[in-house]
Amino acid sequence: MAQGQTSESVTPARLVIHNIGLLLSGDIGNPILDADTVVAVNGKIAAVGKAKDLDTASASIRIDAKGTTLAPGLIDSHVHPVAGDWTPRQNQIGWIDSYLHGGVATMISAGEVHTPGRPKDVVGLKAMAIFAQRAFSAFRPGGVRIHAGAPVIEHGMVEEDFKDLAAAGVTMLGEVGLGSVKDGATARQMVAWARKYGIQSTIHTGGPSIPGSSLIDKDIVLAADADVIGHINGGHTALPDDQIVALCEKSPRALEIVHNGNEKAALLTLRTAKELKHLDRLILGTDSPAGSGVQPLGILRMISMLSSLADVRAEVAVCFATGNTARIRNLDCGLIEPGRAATFVMIDKAQHSPGKTVLESIQRGDLPGIGMVIIDGMVSAPRSRNTPPATTVPEVVEP
């Protein structure tokens, strides 16, 4: 703010996106909106509807969607960040920025477990979690919001530790089972303490993924009662089919499917949830960086795979990576409705896809092309460098 200005004299940042061909809401109960225009003020959605019914004047940024599709920015529900935009898992720099070009605008840490020399004593793990929460709150590669600071619980923690973590701003636990706590009874007590202080929990599901982890079967998962059944399709090794079905049937918690898991188990989970009429419990993550690498298009690939192989409408599959995750993770993004973050991905069918529309192309298993990513009302990325080229791309025009 310039010297002498008051907050009342600052002109609000006003984004207008018009000429939207298809608007995907992220809401699994109403995935397509009858609207062609979105107005946002100071990074929040102010209005959604038809251009003729909205005040679209005085825009500071105006985008002509050119008939392309607007959806909420994608959410990766399961990542393992460490330090800035570098991962020691693959010694790769710039991985988060690459995910931005895959439409991912928000990431949820399942624990900063790849940190070299990760402390496992109670004082150390709490300090590391608070540091990660602070660091990633301030550091946003390309604008991507990373919800980090997810401590891996260890034996010796008491209720006061969870109270301290919550007071410091920590809002989630790392995967239960990646530390020394691997039995259902102890995990359940610590998960309950975390929940008491507003900290959400995720549990590792399936076979070991890193040194120190171990098999977490359905009995441990049910006993622990964590808020999210992490990578129910394995990360990488999945549980037997009957155990996956039992988790879908016996637990009311979120069912997280990940890219770095077992594809057959992913499809089983989706089909079971569909039969149970619990598609609102499905959320998507990549579980990366991992031994299989970094996957900038991992969430898009999951959407296309699940839609094409499990007979789920493309607009519904998009909800798994947007509105479902937003509601389960208590985020202000992921849904196109007033008051939510103005965070969007603008897509179109890839050039030469045999699908006639973007939804049909996804339903056939093709990836869409990304024409633009907008985070908090600002353009964060133009046409993606990672997706196949979109047939049509939106354009920033004169306000």
Side-chain angles (χ1 to χ4, degrees):
M1 187 180 298
Q3 186 174 4
Q5 283 186 319
T6 65
S7 58
E8 289 77 16
S9 65
V10 175
T11 302
R14 185 173 170 84
L15 168 71
V16 174
I17 307 174
H18 68 276
N19 197 19
I20 298 168
L22 177 68
L23 205 159
L24 304 181
S25 69
D27 180 358
I28 200 164
N30 184 30
I32 297 178
L33 297 180
D34 183 19
D36 60 18
T37 303
V38 173
V39 178
V41 177
N42 291 338
K44 299 289 185 182
I45 299 172
V48 181
K50 297 287 189 179
K52 63 182 178 62
D53 301 322
L54 302 180
D55 178 8
T56 60
S58 304
S60 45
I61 303 174
R62 187 179 297 275
I63 296 171
D64 181 354
K66 294 192 171 181
T68 61
T69 297
L70 182 143
L74 304 180
I75 305 168
D76 189 333
S77 177
H78 195 124
V79 296
H80 292 290
V82 170
D85 206 357
W86 167 72
T87 169
R89 196 73 164 96
Q90 295 295 337
N91 196 25
Q92 184 169 333
I93 294 174
W95 70 279
I96 296 172
D97 184 72
S98 285
Y99 277 57
L100 170 67
H101 283 261
V104 173
T106 306
M107 293 179 163
I108 309 294
S109 174
E112 296 77 40
V113 295
H114 301 152
T115 302
R118 173 171 64 91
K120 299 179 181 180
D121 64 289
V122 175
V123 173
L125 72 87
K126 288 167 63 177
M128 191 179 88
I130 295 167
F131 166 77
Q133 187 274 330
R134 296 287 195 279
F136 282 103
S137 291
F139 180 69
R140 298 177 58 180
V144 176
R145 186 180 298 279
I146 303 112
H147 296 270
V152 175
I153 58 175
E154 303 280 358
H155 281 295
M157 296 184 76
V158 296
E159 181 177 349
E160 194 70 18
D161 294 316
F162 295 89
K163 183 179 180 180
D164 291 345
L165 285 164
V170 171
T171 60
M172 66 199 80
L173 297 183
E175 289 179 66
V176 176
L178 295 186
S180 59
V181 176
K182 304 179 190 297
D183 65 284
T186 305
R188 188 182 188 89
Q189 177 64 81
M190 293 191 181
V191 162
W193 285 334
R195 192 175 287 134
K196 177 179 178 179
Y197 295 106
I199 298 174
Q200 192 179 69
S201 55
T202 297
I203 189 164
H204 177 91
T205 309
S209 58
I210 60 173
S213 64
S214 59
L215 171 67
I216 302 294
D217 64 14
K218 64 103 173 169
D219 291 332
I220 298 174
V221 173
L222 291 173
D225 192 33
D227 299 299
V228 176
I229 301 175
H231 50 59
I232 190 172
N233 62 319
H236 299 269
T237 307
L239 294 173
D241 289 359
D242 62 332
Q243 293 199 29
I244 293 173
V245 171
L247 288 175
C248 295
E249 292 177 341
K250 296 181 179 181
S251 171
R253 304 302 181 180
L255 307 170
E256 183 187 75
I257 299 173
V258 299
H259 183 275
N260 285 338
N262 181 306
E263 290 86 352
K264 184 178 179 181
L267 294 171
L268 172 64
T269 302
L270 174 52
R271 289 171 178 142
T272 304
K274 187 177 180 182
E275 290 173 4
L276 294 169
K277 295 181 169 47
H278 285 166
L279 287 180
D280 59 325
R281 291 168 57 197
L282 286 177
I283 61 178
L284 304 184
T286 56
D287 192 9
S288 62
S292 57
V294 168
Q295 299 90 28
L297 303 183
I299 296 297
L300 277 182
R301 290 180 62 83
M302 291 291 294
I303 290 170
S304 292
M305 182 194 78
L306 295 173
S307 178
S308 61
L309 297 182
D311 193 28
V312 172
R313 299 197 317 276
E315 63 269 27
V316 171
V318 168
C319 297
F320 303 158
T322 54
N324 279 10
T325 312
R327 285 176 169 147
I328 287 167
R329 296 290 195 178
N330 302 313
L331 305 176
D332 71 346
C333 56
L335 292 158
I336 307 299
E337 60 185 26
R340 296 273 179 173
T343 296
F344 317 115
V345 58
M346 303 183 72
I347 60 177
D348 197 17
K349 69 172 187 172
Q351 292 178 13
H352 306 296
S353 169
K356 294 180 180 179
T357 66
V358 67
L359 295 182
E360 184 181 331
S361 69
I362 292 171
Q363 193 85 46
R364 293 174 63 95
D366 285 338
L367 297 181
I370 291 176
M372 187 176 290
V373 182
I374 297 165
I375 299 179
D376 295 336
M378 301 296 293
V379 177
S380 288
R383 172 179 272 176
S384 170
R385 64 173 185 258
N386 289 331
T387 63
T391 300
T392 305
V393 297
E395 180 183 358
V396 177
V397 297
E398 289 295 323

